[in-house]
Amino acid sequence: MGQNKKILVVFGTRPEAIKMAPLIKELARYPEEINCLVAVTAQHREMLDQVLDLFGIRPDFDLNIMKSEQSLFEITCRVLSGLQEIFNEERPDLALVHGDTTTTFVSALAAYYLQIPVGHVEAGLRTGDKYAPFPEEINRRLTAGIADLHFAPTGLARDNLLKEGISREKIFVTGNTVIDALFLTLKDNYSFNNSVLNNIDYKNHKVILVTTHRRENFGGPMKSVYRALKTIVDLYPEVEVVFSVHRNPVVRNAVAELLSNLNRVHLIDPLEYEPFINLMNRSYLVLTDSGGLQEEAPALGKPVLVLRDVTERPEAVWAGTVRVIGTQYEKIVSEVRFLLDDQQHYQRMSEAVNPYGDGMASQRICGALFHYFGFAGNPPEEYVANKK
Ligand code: UD1
Ligand code: UDP
Protein backbone atom coordinates (compact mmCIF):
# COMPACT_ATOMS: atom_id res chain seq x y z
CA MET A 1 0.00 0.00 0.00
CA GLY A 2 1.25 3.51 -0.83
CA GLN A 3 1.94 6.31 1.56
CA ASN A 4 -0.89 8.12 3.36
CA LYS A 5 -2.35 11.02 1.29
CA LYS A 6 -3.86 14.16 2.74
CA ILE A 7 -7.23 15.30 1.33
CA LEU A 8 -8.78 18.59 2.36
CA VAL A 9 -12.54 18.61 1.78
CA VAL A 10 -13.90 22.16 1.57
CA PHE A 11 -17.55 23.23 1.58
CA GLY A 12 -19.76 25.97 2.97
CA THR A 13 -23.49 25.60 2.34
CA ARG A 14 -26.24 23.15 3.26
CA PRO A 15 -26.41 21.23 -0.02
CA GLU A 16 -22.63 20.87 -0.29
CA ALA A 17 -22.57 19.48 3.26
CA ILE A 18 -25.37 16.98 2.58
CA LYS A 19 -23.69 15.75 -0.59
CA MET A 20 -20.16 15.63 0.85
CA ALA A 21 -21.12 13.94 4.14
CA PRO A 22 -21.37 10.38 2.73
CA LEU A 23 -18.04 10.83 0.95
CA ILE A 24 -16.33 12.06 4.13
CA LYS A 25 -17.71 9.00 5.93
CA GLU A 26 -16.41 6.75 3.16
CA LEU A 27 -12.93 8.31 3.14
CA ALA A 28 -12.77 7.95 6.92
CA ARG A 29 -12.90 4.17 6.45
CA TYR A 30 -9.36 4.18 5.07
CA PRO A 31 -7.18 5.97 7.64
CA GLU A 32 -4.10 4.04 6.50
CA GLU A 33 -4.36 5.44 3.01
CA ILE A 34 -6.21 8.75 3.42
CA ASN A 35 -5.94 11.49 5.99
CA CYS A 36 -9.19 13.37 5.39
CA LEU A 37 -9.45 16.89 6.82
CA VAL A 38 -12.55 19.07 6.60
CA ALA A 39 -12.63 22.85 6.20
CA VAL A 40 -15.94 24.71 6.20
CA THR A 41 -16.18 28.27 4.98
CA ALA A 42 -19.57 28.56 6.72
CA GLN A 43 -21.00 30.57 3.85
CA HIS A 44 -24.14 29.22 5.55
CA ARG A 45 -24.17 28.98 9.32
CA GLU A 46 -27.28 27.48 10.93
CA MET A 47 -28.23 25.56 7.78
CA LEU A 48 -24.71 24.12 7.56
CA ASP A 49 -24.48 23.26 11.24
CA GLN A 50 -27.73 21.27 11.06
CA VAL A 51 -26.07 18.93 8.55
CA LEU A 52 -22.74 18.72 10.37
CA ASP A 53 -24.61 17.71 13.54
CA LEU A 54 -26.75 15.12 11.78
CA PHE A 55 -23.77 13.38 10.16
CA GLY A 56 -21.47 13.89 13.16
CA ILE A 57 -18.86 15.81 11.16
CA ARG A 58 -16.50 17.99 13.20
CA PRO A 59 -14.65 20.35 10.85
CA ASP A 60 -10.92 20.76 11.39
CA PHE A 61 -11.19 24.37 10.16
CA ASP A 62 -14.09 26.82 10.22
CA LEU A 63 -13.76 30.19 8.48
CA ASN A 64 -17.13 31.31 9.86
CA ILE A 65 -17.58 33.89 7.08
CA MET A 66 -21.38 34.21 7.07
CA LYS A 67 -22.84 37.68 7.46
CA SER A 68 -26.46 38.64 6.99
CA GLU A 69 -27.22 39.49 3.35
CA GLN A 70 -23.61 38.97 2.33
CA SER A 71 -22.73 39.96 -1.23
CA LEU A 72 -20.98 37.73 -3.75
CA PHE A 73 -17.96 40.04 -3.48
CA GLU A 74 -17.77 39.58 0.29
CA ILE A 75 -18.10 35.79 0.10
CA THR A 76 -15.45 35.59 -2.61
CA CYS A 77 -12.89 37.76 -0.81
CA ARG A 78 -13.37 36.22 2.61
CA VAL A 79 -13.24 32.62 1.41
CA LEU A 80 -10.17 33.27 -0.73
CA SER A 81 -8.12 34.92 1.98
CA GLY A 82 -9.29 32.48 4.68
CA LEU A 83 -8.33 29.46 2.63
CA GLN A 84 -4.91 30.83 1.69
CA GLU A 85 -3.75 30.28 5.24
CA ILE A 86 -5.26 26.82 5.62
CA PHE A 87 -4.00 25.49 2.28
CA ASN A 88 -0.57 26.99 2.90
CA GLU A 89 -0.32 25.41 6.32
CA GLU A 90 -1.75 21.99 5.40
CA ARG A 91 -0.47 21.58 1.82
CA PRO A 92 -2.92 18.71 1.05
CA ASP A 93 -2.28 16.30 -1.80
CA LEU A 94 -5.76 17.11 -3.09
CA ALA A 95 -8.57 19.57 -2.37
CA LEU A 96 -12.09 18.20 -2.83
CA VAL A 97 -14.88 20.65 -3.63
CA HIS A 98 -18.54 20.13 -4.47
CA GLY A 99 -20.98 21.57 -6.96
CA ASP A 100 -21.43 25.19 -7.90
CA THR A 101 -21.59 27.61 -5.00
CA THR A 102 -19.28 30.55 -4.57
CA THR A 103 -17.48 28.53 -1.88
CA THR A 104 -16.90 25.82 -4.51
CA PHE A 105 -15.33 28.04 -7.13
CA VAL A 106 -13.28 30.15 -4.73
CA SER A 107 -11.96 27.07 -2.91
CA ALA A 108 -10.82 25.63 -6.24
CA LEU A 109 -9.19 28.95 -7.08
CA ALA A 110 -7.38 29.11 -3.74
CA ALA A 111 -6.05 25.57 -4.24
CA TYR A 112 -4.97 26.44 -7.79
CA TYR A 113 -3.04 29.51 -6.64
CA LEU A 114 -0.99 27.19 -4.44
CA GLN A 115 -0.75 24.53 -7.16
CA ILE A 116 -2.73 22.02 -5.12
CA PRO A 117 -4.69 19.53 -7.28
CA VAL A 118 -8.47 19.76 -7.16
CA GLY A 119 -11.18 17.10 -7.35
CA HIS A 120 -14.66 18.35 -8.28
CA VAL A 121 -17.64 16.35 -7.03
CA GLU A 122 -20.91 16.82 -8.99
CA ALA A 123 -19.01 18.05 -12.02
CA GLY A 124 -20.41 18.72 -15.48
CA LEU A 125 -23.92 20.07 -14.81
CA ARG A 126 -24.76 22.81 -17.32
CA THR A 127 -27.70 24.90 -18.48
CA GLY A 128 -25.69 26.77 -21.11
CA ASP A 129 -27.06 30.07 -19.79
CA LYS A 130 -24.49 32.04 -17.81
CA TYR A 131 -27.15 33.89 -15.81
CA ALA A 132 -29.34 30.89 -14.96
CA PRO A 133 -28.78 29.75 -12.36
CA PHE A 134 -26.83 32.80 -11.19
CA PRO A 135 -24.00 32.64 -10.25
CA GLU A 136 -23.88 28.82 -10.16
CA GLU A 137 -23.51 28.20 -13.91
CA ILE A 138 -20.30 30.20 -14.01
CA ASN A 139 -19.09 28.86 -10.65
CA ARG A 140 -19.20 25.30 -11.97
CA ARG A 141 -17.68 26.12 -15.35
CA LEU A 142 -14.78 27.95 -13.69
CA THR A 143 -14.31 25.08 -11.24
CA ALA A 144 -14.14 22.64 -14.16
CA GLY A 145 -11.43 24.81 -15.70
CA ILE A 146 -9.32 24.32 -12.59
CA ALA A 147 -10.12 20.74 -11.54
CA ASP A 148 -7.77 17.80 -12.13
CA LEU A 149 -10.41 15.14 -11.38
CA HIS A 150 -14.07 15.48 -12.35
CA PHE A 151 -16.64 13.30 -10.60
CA ALA A 152 -19.59 13.48 -12.98
CA PRO A 153 -22.85 12.19 -11.51
CA THR A 154 -24.33 11.07 -14.84
CA GLY A 155 -23.39 10.25 -18.42
CA LEU A 156 -24.84 13.57 -19.53
CA ALA A 157 -22.58 15.47 -17.12
CA ARG A 158 -19.61 13.50 -18.51
CA ASP A 159 -20.59 14.46 -22.06
CA ASN A 160 -20.85 18.14 -21.09
CA LEU A 161 -17.29 18.01 -19.78
CA LEU A 162 -16.01 16.19 -22.86
CA LYS A 163 -17.55 18.91 -25.05
CA GLU A 164 -15.53 21.47 -23.09
CA GLY A 165 -12.32 19.64 -23.94
CA ILE A 166 -11.73 17.86 -20.62
CA SER A 167 -9.93 14.60 -21.26
CA ARG A 168 -11.81 11.38 -20.67
CA GLU A 169 -9.30 9.89 -18.23
CA LYS A 170 -9.87 12.78 -15.81
CA ILE A 171 -13.63 12.14 -15.65
CA PHE A 172 -15.32 9.44 -13.52
CA VAL A 173 -19.06 8.83 -13.76
CA THR A 174 -20.09 8.05 -10.21
CA GLY A 175 -23.78 8.77 -9.61
CA ASN A 176 -24.70 11.60 -7.30
CA THR A 177 -23.76 11.40 -3.62
CA VAL A 178 -27.15 13.01 -2.86
CA ILE A 179 -28.67 9.54 -3.32
CA ASP A 180 -26.11 8.06 -0.89
CA ALA A 181 -27.22 10.68 1.67
CA LEU A 182 -30.88 9.97 0.95
CA PHE A 183 -30.51 6.21 1.48
CA LEU A 184 -28.58 6.82 4.71
CA THR A 185 -31.32 9.09 6.06
CA LEU A 186 -34.73 7.78 4.99
CA LYS A 187 -36.62 6.00 7.79
CA ASP A 188 -39.71 3.79 7.95
CA ASN A 189 -42.48 5.15 10.22
CA TYR A 190 -40.63 8.39 10.84
CA SER A 191 -42.14 10.61 13.50
CA PHE A 192 -41.50 14.38 13.34
CA ASN A 193 -40.31 16.40 16.26
CA ASN A 194 -42.54 19.25 15.10
CA SER A 195 -46.20 19.71 16.01
CA VAL A 196 -47.16 21.38 12.71
CA LEU A 197 -45.84 18.43 10.73
CA ASN A 198 -47.22 15.82 13.12
CA ASN A 199 -50.71 17.35 12.95
CA ILE A 200 -51.06 17.18 9.18
CA ASP A 201 -53.51 14.57 7.94
CA TYR A 202 -51.23 12.95 5.36
CA LYS A 203 -53.84 10.32 4.42
CA ASN A 204 -56.65 12.64 3.43
CA HIS A 205 -54.79 15.82 2.56
CA LYS A 206 -52.32 16.51 -0.21
CA VAL A 207 -49.10 18.14 0.91
CA ILE A 208 -47.30 20.43 -1.51
CA LEU A 209 -43.72 20.85 -0.33
CA VAL A 210 -42.23 24.20 -1.36
CA THR A 211 -38.76 25.75 -1.29
CA THR A 212 -37.41 28.83 -3.12
CA HIS A 213 -34.07 30.56 -2.93
CA ARG A 214 -32.56 31.20 -6.40
CA ARG A 215 -31.08 34.66 -6.83
CA GLU A 216 -32.47 35.02 -10.37
CA ASN A 217 -35.98 34.55 -8.93
CA PHE A 218 -35.70 37.36 -6.36
CA GLY A 219 -38.41 40.05 -6.70
CA GLY A 220 -41.20 39.60 -9.26
CA PRO A 221 -40.75 35.89 -10.06
CA MET A 222 -40.81 34.83 -6.39
CA LYS A 223 -43.83 36.98 -5.73
CA SER A 224 -45.78 35.42 -8.57
CA VAL A 225 -44.91 31.96 -7.18
CA TYR A 226 -46.30 32.96 -3.79
CA ARG A 227 -49.50 34.44 -5.32
CA ALA A 228 -49.99 31.16 -7.18
CA LEU A 229 -49.67 29.20 -3.91
CA LYS A 230 -52.37 31.33 -2.33
CA THR A 231 -54.72 30.68 -5.27
CA ILE A 232 -54.10 26.93 -5.07
CA VAL A 233 -54.97 26.64 -1.36
CA ASP A 234 -58.08 28.76 -1.98
CA LEU A 235 -59.17 26.42 -4.76
CA TYR A 236 -58.39 23.08 -3.05
CA PRO A 237 -59.50 22.53 0.56
CA GLU A 238 -57.56 19.25 0.68
CA VAL A 239 -54.22 20.93 -0.10
CA GLU A 240 -51.73 21.82 2.62
CA VAL A 241 -48.65 23.78 1.64
CA VAL A 242 -45.55 23.18 3.72
CA PHE A 243 -43.04 25.86 2.86
CA SER A 244 -39.56 25.45 4.31
CA VAL A 245 -38.43 29.07 4.20
CA HIS A 246 -34.74 29.57 3.40
CA ARG A 247 -32.85 31.80 5.85
CA ASN A 248 -32.02 34.36 3.21
CA PRO A 249 -33.78 37.58 4.37
CA VAL A 250 -34.79 38.39 0.77
CA VAL A 251 -36.81 35.17 0.68
CA ARG A 252 -38.13 35.52 4.23
CA ASN A 253 -39.40 39.07 3.67
CA ALA A 254 -41.23 38.19 0.45
CA VAL A 255 -42.78 35.09 2.07
CA ALA A 256 -43.87 37.08 5.13
CA GLU A 257 -45.45 39.75 2.93
CA LEU A 258 -47.51 37.40 0.75
CA LEU A 259 -48.09 34.16 2.65
CA SER A 260 -48.44 34.97 6.36
CA ASN A 261 -51.50 33.78 8.27
CA LEU A 262 -53.11 31.77 5.48
CA ASN A 263 -55.10 28.66 6.21
CA ARG A 264 -53.24 25.49 5.24
CA VAL A 265 -50.03 27.35 4.38
CA HIS A 266 -47.44 26.26 6.94
CA LEU A 267 -44.35 28.45 6.92
CA ILE A 268 -41.54 26.65 8.71
CA ASP A 269 -37.88 27.34 9.37
CA PRO A 270 -35.43 25.21 7.39
CA LEU A 271 -35.84 21.67 8.61
CA GLU A 272 -32.98 19.40 9.44
CA TYR A 273 -32.21 17.09 6.56
CA GLU A 274 -33.68 13.98 8.20
CA PRO A 275 -37.20 15.36 8.84
CA PHE A 276 -37.06 17.19 5.52
CA ILE A 277 -36.44 14.04 3.49
CA ASN A 278 -39.05 12.15 5.45
CA LEU A 279 -41.54 14.98 4.88
CA MET A 280 -40.79 14.88 1.15
CA ASN A 281 -41.53 11.16 1.26
CA ARG A 282 -45.05 11.95 2.56
CA SER A 283 -45.74 14.83 0.20
CA TYR A 284 -47.98 14.74 -2.86
CA LEU A 285 -45.76 16.94 -4.99
CA VAL A 286 -42.76 19.24 -4.77
CA LEU A 287 -42.64 22.82 -6.02
CA THR A 288 -39.12 24.22 -5.95
CA ASP A 289 -36.28 26.12 -7.57
CA SER A 290 -33.70 24.02 -5.70
CA GLY A 291 -31.14 21.85 -7.45
CA GLY A 292 -30.95 19.08 -4.86
CA LEU A 293 -34.71 18.59 -4.61
CA GLN A 294 -34.83 17.85 -8.34
CA GLU A 295 -32.61 14.85 -7.64
CA GLU A 296 -34.15 13.62 -4.39
CA ALA A 297 -37.85 13.82 -5.24
CA PRO A 298 -37.66 11.58 -8.35
CA ALA A 299 -35.86 8.97 -6.24
CA LEU A 300 -38.89 9.01 -3.92
CA GLY A 301 -41.39 8.94 -6.78
CA LYS A 302 -42.61 12.49 -6.10
CA PRO A 303 -43.51 14.71 -9.04
CA VAL A 304 -41.51 17.94 -9.14
CA LEU A 305 -42.51 21.23 -10.72
CA VAL A 306 -39.39 23.34 -11.16
CA LEU A 307 -39.81 27.07 -10.67
CA ARG A 308 -37.12 28.00 -13.16
CA ASP A 309 -36.82 28.60 -16.90
CA VAL A 310 -33.97 26.12 -17.41
CA THR A 311 -32.47 23.20 -15.54
CA GLU A 312 -29.02 21.62 -15.47
CA ARG A 313 -30.71 18.37 -14.42
CA PRO A 314 -32.73 17.29 -17.47
CA GLU A 315 -32.40 13.55 -16.79
CA ALA A 316 -35.53 13.44 -14.60
CA VAL A 317 -37.37 15.71 -17.04
CA TRP A 318 -36.68 13.16 -19.78
CA ALA A 319 -37.78 10.39 -17.43
CA GLY A 320 -41.07 12.23 -16.88
CA THR A 321 -40.97 12.92 -13.12
CA VAL A 322 -39.92 16.59 -13.37
CA ARG A 323 -41.43 19.48 -15.34
CA VAL A 324 -39.70 22.83 -15.70
CA ILE A 325 -42.54 25.35 -15.46
CA GLY A 326 -40.95 28.77 -14.84
CA THR A 327 -42.36 31.37 -12.47
CA GLN A 328 -45.43 32.75 -14.25
CA TYR A 329 -48.51 32.80 -12.02
CA GLU A 330 -50.94 31.27 -14.59
CA LYS A 331 -48.54 28.50 -15.58
CA ILE A 332 -47.90 27.47 -11.97
CA VAL A 333 -51.59 27.38 -11.11
CA SER A 334 -52.43 25.34 -14.20
CA GLU A 335 -49.57 22.85 -13.76
CA VAL A 336 -50.43 22.25 -10.10
CA ARG A 337 -54.13 21.89 -10.97
CA PHE A 338 -53.24 19.35 -13.67
CA LEU A 339 -51.47 17.21 -11.04
CA LEU A 340 -54.26 17.60 -8.51
CA ASP A 341 -57.11 16.94 -10.95
CA ASP A 342 -55.77 14.31 -13.33
CA GLN A 343 -54.83 11.09 -11.58
CA GLN A 344 -53.38 9.52 -14.72
CA HIS A 345 -51.06 12.47 -15.18
CA TYR A 346 -50.10 12.27 -11.49
CA GLN A 347 -49.49 8.54 -11.77
CA ARG A 348 -47.26 8.96 -14.80
CA MET A 349 -45.15 11.59 -13.09
CA SER A 350 -44.85 9.70 -9.84
CA GLU A 351 -43.58 6.45 -11.28
CA ALA A 352 -40.29 6.23 -9.42
CA VAL A 353 -37.29 6.53 -11.67
CA ASN A 354 -33.97 7.50 -10.27
CA PRO A 355 -31.53 8.72 -12.89
CA TYR A 356 -29.13 10.25 -10.38
CA GLY A 357 -27.58 7.43 -8.41
CA ASP A 358 -27.68 4.06 -6.69
CA GLY A 359 -26.29 5.00 -3.29
CA MET A 360 -22.72 4.00 -4.20
CA ALA A 361 -21.35 7.28 -5.56
CA SER A 362 -19.09 7.86 -2.54
CA GLN A 363 -17.59 4.38 -2.92
CA ARG A 364 -16.86 5.06 -6.58
CA ILE A 365 -15.29 8.44 -5.85
CA CYS A 366 -13.16 6.85 -3.16
CA GLY A 367 -12.15 4.12 -5.63
CA ALA A 368 -11.25 6.73 -8.24
CA LEU A 369 -9.12 8.55 -5.67
CA PHE A 370 -7.32 5.31 -4.81
CA HIS A 371 -6.63 4.90 -8.51
CA TYR A 372 -5.42 8.52 -8.81
CA PHE A 373 -3.05 8.11 -5.87
CA GLY A 374 -1.74 4.82 -7.25
CA PHE A 375 -3.25 2.64 -4.48
CA ALA A 376 -5.40 0.65 -6.93
CA GLY A 377 -4.68 -0.72 -10.38
CA ASN A 378 -7.98 -0.01 -12.08
CA PRO A 379 -10.47 2.82 -11.72
CA PRO A 380 -13.87 1.69 -10.35
CA GLU A 381 -16.67 0.60 -12.64
CA GLU A 382 -18.69 3.67 -13.63
CA TYR A 383 -22.29 4.40 -12.69
CA VAL A 384 -24.91 3.62 -15.31
CA ALA A 385 -28.41 4.97 -14.67
CA ASN A 386 -31.11 2.44 -13.81
CA LYS A 387 -28.69 -0.47 -13.88
CA LYS A 388 -30.32 -3.17 -11.77
C1 UD1 B 1 -26.21 29.67 -1.56
C2 UD1 B 1 -25.48 29.40 -2.88
C3 UD1 B 1 -26.40 28.65 -3.84
C4 UD1 B 1 -26.98 27.40 -3.19
C5 UD1 B 1 -27.65 27.78 -1.88
C6 UD1 B 1 -28.16 26.57 -1.15
C7 UD1 B 1 -23.90 31.08 -3.74
C8 UD1 B 1 -23.72 32.40 -4.34
N1 UD1 B 1 -25.17 30.69 -3.50
O1 UD1 B 1 -27.29 30.55 -1.84
O2 UD1 B 1 -25.65 28.26 -4.98
O3 UD1 B 1 -27.91 26.84 -4.07
O4 UD1 B 1 -26.69 28.45 -1.03
O5 UD1 B 1 -29.06 26.93 -0.15
O6 UD1 B 1 -22.94 30.40 -3.45
N2 UD1 B 1 -28.45 32.80 5.76
C9 UD1 B 1 -28.56 32.66 7.13
N3 UD1 B 1 -28.26 31.44 7.70
C10 UD1 B 1 -27.84 30.38 6.98
C11 UD1 B 1 -27.75 30.53 5.58
C12 UD1 B 1 -28.05 31.74 5.00
O7 UD1 B 1 -28.93 33.60 7.83
O8 UD1 B 1 -27.58 29.31 7.55
C13 UD1 B 1 -28.79 34.09 5.14
C14 UD1 B 1 -27.72 35.16 5.36
O9 UD1 B 1 -28.34 36.41 5.50
C15 UD1 B 1 -26.96 35.12 4.03
C16 UD1 B 1 -28.10 34.85 3.07
O10 UD1 B 1 -28.93 33.92 3.73
O11 UD1 B 1 -26.29 36.35 3.78
C17 UD1 B 1 -27.71 34.35 1.72
O12 UD1 B 1 -26.77 33.27 1.81
P1 UD1 B 1 -25.82 32.96 0.56
O13 UD1 B 1 -24.96 31.81 0.89
O14 UD1 B 1 -25.17 34.22 0.08
O15 UD1 B 1 -26.83 32.60 -0.61
P2 UD1 B 1 -27.92 31.46 -0.72
O16 UD1 B 1 -29.12 32.07 -1.35
O17 UD1 B 1 -28.06 30.77 0.57
N1 UDP C 1 -33.07 20.61 2.66
C1 UDP C 1 -33.10 20.43 4.04
N2 UDP C 1 -34.01 21.14 4.78
C2 UDP C 1 -34.87 22.01 4.21
C3 UDP C 1 -34.82 22.21 2.81
C4 UDP C 1 -33.90 21.49 2.06
O1 UDP C 1 -32.34 19.63 4.59
O2 UDP C 1 -35.68 22.60 4.93
C5 UDP C 1 -32.08 19.85 1.87
C6 UDP C 1 -32.65 19.09 0.69
O3 UDP C 1 -33.06 17.80 1.08
C7 UDP C 1 -31.48 19.07 -0.29
C8 UDP C 1 -30.74 20.35 0.02
O4 UDP C 1 -31.18 20.78 1.30
O5 UDP C 1 -30.61 17.98 -0.03
C9 UDP C 1 -31.05 21.39 -1.02
O6 UDP C 1 -30.53 22.61 -0.62
P1 UDP C 1 -30.93 23.96 -1.31
O7 UDP C 1 -32.26 23.85 -1.98
O8 UDP C 1 -30.76 25.02 -0.29
O9 UDP C 1 -29.77 24.16 -2.38
P2 UDP C 1 -29.56 23.68 -3.90
O10 UDP C 1 -29.74 22.21 -3.96
O11 UDP C 1 -30.55 24.44 -4.74
O12 UDP C 1 -28.17 24.13 -4.18
Coordinates of all heavy atoms in Angstrom, one line a residue, residues 13 15 43-47 66-70 72 75 101-102 135-136 213-215 246-249, ligand 1:
T13 N -22.0 25.4 2.3 CA -23.5 25.6 2.3 C -24.2 24.3 2.6 O -23.5 23.2 2.6 CB -24.1 26.1 1.0 OG1 -23.9 25.1 0.0 CG2 -23.4 27.4 0.5
P15 N -26.4 22.3 0.9 CA -26.4 21.2 0.0 C -25.0 20.6 -0.2 O -24.9 19.4 -0.4 CB -26.9 21.8 -1.3 CG -26.7 23.3 -1.2 CD -26.9 23.6 0.3
Q43 N -20.2 29.6 4.6 CA -21.0 30.6 3.8 C -22.4 30.6 4.4 O -23.1 31.6 4.4 CB -20.9 30.2 2.4 CG -21.7 31.1 1.5 CD -21.6 30.7 0.0 OE1 -20.6 30.2 -0.4 NE2 -22.7 30.9 -0.7
H44 N -22.9 29.4 4.7 CA -24.1 29.2 5.5 C -23.7 29.0 7.0 O -22.6 28.4 7.2 CB -25.0 28.0 5.1 CG -25.7 28.3 3.8 ND1 -26.4 27.3 3.2 CD2 -25.9 29.4 3.1 CE1 -27.0 27.8 2.1 NE2 -26.7 29.0 2.0
R45 N -24.5 29.3 7.9 CA -24.2 29.0 9.3 C -25.2 28.0 9.9 O -24.9 26.8 9.9 CB -24.1 30.3 10.2 CG -23.6 30.1 11.6 CD -22.1 29.8 11.6 NE -21.8 28.4 11.5 CZ -20.5 27.9 11.5 NH1 -19.5 28.7 11.4 NH2 -20.3 26.6 11.4
E46 N -26.4 28.4 10.3 CA -27.3 27.5 10.9 C -27.6 26.3 10.0 O -27.6 25.1 10.4 CB -28.6 28.2 11.3 CG -28.5 29.4 12.2 CD -28.4 30.7 11.3 OE1 -27.7 30.7 10.3 OE2 -29.0 31.7 11.7
M47 N -27.8 26.6 8.7 CA -28.2 25.6 7.8 C -27.1 24.6 7.5 O -27.3 23.4 7.2 CB -28.7 26.2 6.5 CG -30.1 26.8 6.6 SD -30.5 28.0 5.3 CE -30.3 27.1 3.8
M66 N -20.0 33.7 7.4 CA -21.4 34.2 7.1 C -21.7 35.5 7.7 O -21.5 35.7 8.9 CB -22.5 33.2 7.4 CG -23.8 33.5 6.7 SD -25.2 32.7 7.4 CE -25.6 33.8 8.7
K67 N -22.3 36.4 6.9 CA -22.8 37.7 7.5 C -24.2 37.8 6.8 O -24.5 37.3 5.7 CB -22.0 38.9 7.0 CG -20.7 39.0 7.7 CD -20.2 40.4 7.8 CE -19.7 40.9 6.4 NZ -19.0 42.1 6.4
S68 N -25.1 38.5 7.5 CA -26.5 38.6 7.0 C -26.4 39.4 5.7 O -25.7 40.4 5.5 CB -27.3 39.4 8.0 OG -28.6 39.4 7.5
E69 N -27.1 38.9 4.7 CA -27.2 39.5 3.4 C -25.9 39.8 2.7 O -25.6 40.8 2.1 CB -28.1 40.7 3.4 CG -29.5 40.4 3.8 CD -30.5 41.6 3.7 OE1 -30.8 42.0 2.6 OE2 -30.9 42.1 4.8
Q70 N -25.0 38.8 2.9 CA -23.6 39.0 2.3 C -23.7 39.0 0.8 O -24.4 38.3 0.2 CB -22.7 37.8 2.8 CG -23.2 36.4 2.3 CD -22.8 35.3 3.2 OE1 -22.0 35.5 4.1 NE2 -23.5 34.2 3.1
L72 N -21.9 38.7 -3.1 CA -21.0 37.7 -3.7 C -19.5 38.2 -3.6 O -18.6 37.4 -3.5 CB -21.3 37.6 -5.2 CG -22.7 37.0 -5.5 CD1 -23.0 37.0 -7.0 CD2 -22.8 35.6 -4.9
I75 N -18.3 37.2 0.0 CA -18.1 35.8 0.1 C -16.8 35.4 -0.6 O -15.9 34.8 0.0 CB -19.2 34.9 -0.5 CG1 -20.6 35.3 0.1 CG2 -19.0 33.5 -0.3 CD1 -21.8 34.7 -0.6
T101 N -21.4 26.4 -5.8 CA -21.6 27.6 -5.0 C -20.4 28.5 -5.1 O -19.3 28.1 -5.7 CB -21.8 27.3 -3.5 OG1 -20.6 26.8 -3.0 CG2 -22.9 26.2 -3.3
T102 N -20.4 29.7 -4.5 CA -19.3 30.6 -4.6 C -18.2 30.0 -3.7 O -17.0 30.0 -4.1 CB -19.7 32.0 -4.1 OG1 -20.6 32.4 -5.2 CG2 -18.5 32.9 -4.1
P135 N -25.2 32.7 -9.4 CA -24.0 32.6 -10.2 C -23.5 31.2 -10.5 O -22.4 31.0 -10.8 CB -23.0 33.4 -9.4 CG -23.3 33.1 -8.0 CD -24.8 32.9 -8.0
E136 N -24.4 30.2 -10.2 CA -23.9 28.8 -10.2 C -23.3 28.3 -11.5 O -22.4 27.5 -11.5 CB -25.0 27.9 -9.7 CG -25.4 28.1 -8.2 CD -26.3 29.2 -7.9 OE1 -26.8 29.9 -8.9 OE2 -26.6 29.5 -6.8
H213 N -35.2 29.7 -3.4 CA -34.1 30.6 -2.9 C -33.2 31.1 -4.1 O -32.3 31.9 -3.8 CB -33.2 29.8 -2.0 CG -32.3 28.7 -2.6 ND1 -31.2 29.0 -3.2 CD2 -32.6 27.4 -2.8 CE1 -30.6 27.9 -3.7 NE2 -31.5 26.9 -3.5
R214 N -33.5 30.8 -5.3 CA -32.6 31.2 -6.4 C -32.5 32.7 -6.5 O -33.5 33.4 -6.6 CB -33.0 30.6 -7.7 CG -33.0 29.1 -7.8 CD -31.8 28.6 -8.7 NE -30.6 28.5 -8.1 CZ -30.2 27.5 -7.3 NH1 -31.0 26.5 -7.1 NH2 -29.0 27.5 -6.7
R215 N -31.3 33.2 -6.7 CA -31.1 34.7 -6.8 C -31.8 35.2 -8.0 O -32.3 36.3 -8.0 CB -29.6 35.0 -7.0 CG -28.9 35.1 -5.6 CD -27.4 35.3 -5.9 NE -26.7 35.9 -4.7 CZ -26.4 35.3 -3.6 NH1 -26.7 34.1 -3.4 NH2 -25.8 36.0 -2.6
H246 N -36.2 29.4 3.4 CA -34.7 29.6 3.4 C -34.4 30.8 4.3 O -35.2 31.7 4.4 CB -34.3 29.8 2.0 CG -32.8 29.8 1.7 ND1 -31.9 30.7 2.2 CD2 -32.0 28.8 1.1 CE1 -30.7 30.4 1.8 NE2 -30.7 29.3 1.2
R247 N -33.2 30.7 4.9 CA -32.8 31.8 5.8 C -32.4 33.1 5.2 O -32.2 34.1 5.9 CB -31.7 31.3 6.8 CG -32.2 30.3 7.7 CD -31.5 30.3 9.1 NE -32.1 29.3 9.9 CZ -33.1 29.5 10.8 NH1 -33.5 30.8 10.9 NH2 -33.6 28.6 11.5
N248 N -32.4 33.1 3.9 CA -32.0 34.4 3.2 C -33.1 35.4 3.5 O -34.3 35.2 3.2 CB -31.9 34.1 1.7 CG -31.3 35.3 1.0 OD1 -31.5 36.4 1.4 ND2 -30.5 35.0 0.0
P249 N -32.8 36.6 4.0 CA -33.8 37.6 4.4 C -34.6 38.0 3.2 O -35.8 38.4 3.3 CB -33.0 38.8 4.9 CG -31.7 38.2 5.3 CD -31.4 37.0 4.5
Ligands
UD1_1 C1 -26.2 29.7 -1.6 C2 -25.5 29.4 -2.9 C3 -26.4 28.6 -3.8 C4 -27.0 27.4 -3.2 C5 -27.6 27.8 -1.9 C6 -28.2 26.6 -1.2 C7 -23.9 31.1 -3.7 C8 -23.7 32.4 -4.3 N1 -25.2 30.7 -3.5 O1 -27.3 30.6 -1.8 O2 -25.6 28.3 -5.0 O3 -27.9 26.8 -4.1 O4 -26.7 28.5 -1.0 O5 -29.1 26.9 -0.1 O6 -22.9 30.4 -3.5 N2 -28.5 32.8 5.8 C9 -28.6 32.7 7.1 N3 -28.3 31.4 7.7 C10 -27.8 30.4 7.0 C11 -27.8 30.5 5.6 C12 -28.0 31.7 5.0 O7 -28.9 33.6 7.8 O8 -27.6 29.3 7.5 C13 -28.8 34.1 5.1 C14 -27.7 35.2 5.4 O9 -28.3 36.4 5.5 C15 -27.0 35.1 4.0 C16 -28.1 34.9 3.1 O10 -28.9 33.9 3.7 O11 -26.3 36.3 3.8 C17 -27.7 34.3 1.7 O12 -26.8 33.3 1.8 P1 -25.8 33.0 0.6 O13 -25.0 31.8 0.9 O14 -25.2 34.2 0.1 O15 -26.8 32.6 -0.6 P2 -27.9 31.5 -0.7 O16 -29.1 32.1 -1.4 O17 -28.1 30.8 0.6

